[in-house]
């Protein structure tokens, strides 16, 4: 699953890895035009044009893996990651990129199984320091 799919960079990586061949891939995107573009570019994915934070997990539709690069503005990454964790099956894994700020550190690092600072400039043109984290289900 990919919450906040945007232009589909993670979906593209999943397709290139072969994940589309062995898994059902779900994505959420709040911007309707981007959601339509995702549907056109990734016909094997289930794309919802909906605010992920307003979507509650369905117990019959939990995920083994969630990969995400949520929005960073105003520490929105924290809310997105915490909400996404609710969508994991027991034993599931969440892999996320978040800002490397003090709010993210305080809210997320103690929950993470891994916390890896990414190289400066990972997100070209932004100057934002970031972290790659993994965590299990709540």
């Amino acid at each position: 699953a990919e919450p906040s799919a945007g232009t589909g960079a993670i979906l593209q990586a999943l397709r290139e890895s072969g994940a589309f061949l062995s898994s059902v891939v779900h994505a959420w995107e709040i911007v309707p035009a981007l959601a339509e573009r995702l549907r056109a570019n990734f016909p094997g994915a289930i794309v919802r044009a909906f605010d992920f934070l307003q979507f509650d997990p369905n117990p019959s539709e939990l995920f083994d893996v969630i990969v995400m690069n949520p929005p960073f503005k105003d520490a929105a990454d924290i809310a997105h990651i915490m909400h996404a964790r609710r969508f994991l099956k027991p034993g599931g894994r969440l892999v996320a990129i978040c800002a490397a700020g003090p709010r993210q550190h305080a809210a997320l690092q103690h929950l993470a199984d891994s916390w890896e600072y990414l190289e400066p400039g990972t997100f070209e043109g932004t100057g934002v320091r970031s972290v790659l984290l993994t965590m299990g289900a709540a």
Side-chain angles (χ1 to χ4, degrees), residues 8-69:
I10 291 176
L11 290 175
Q12 181 61 34
L14 290 172
R15 179 167 50 200
E16 290 171 4
S17 76
F20 273 55
L21 300 174
S22 61
S23 304
V24 177
V25 177
H26 295 251
W28 287 263
E29 176 49 51
I30 192 170
V31 178
L34 287 176
E36 283 304 313
R37 191 163 113 192
L38 292 169
R39 285 185 188 107
N41 291 337
F42 303 97
I46 298 169
V47 178
R48 293 176 174 97
F50 200 89
D51 180 354
F52 172 69
L53 293 176
Q54 301 300 314
F55 194 84
D56 287 323
N58 178 338
S60 67
E61 189 179 67
L62 297 178
F63 301 98
D64 294 311
V65 178
I66 296 173
V67 182
M68 61 190 302
N69 180 9

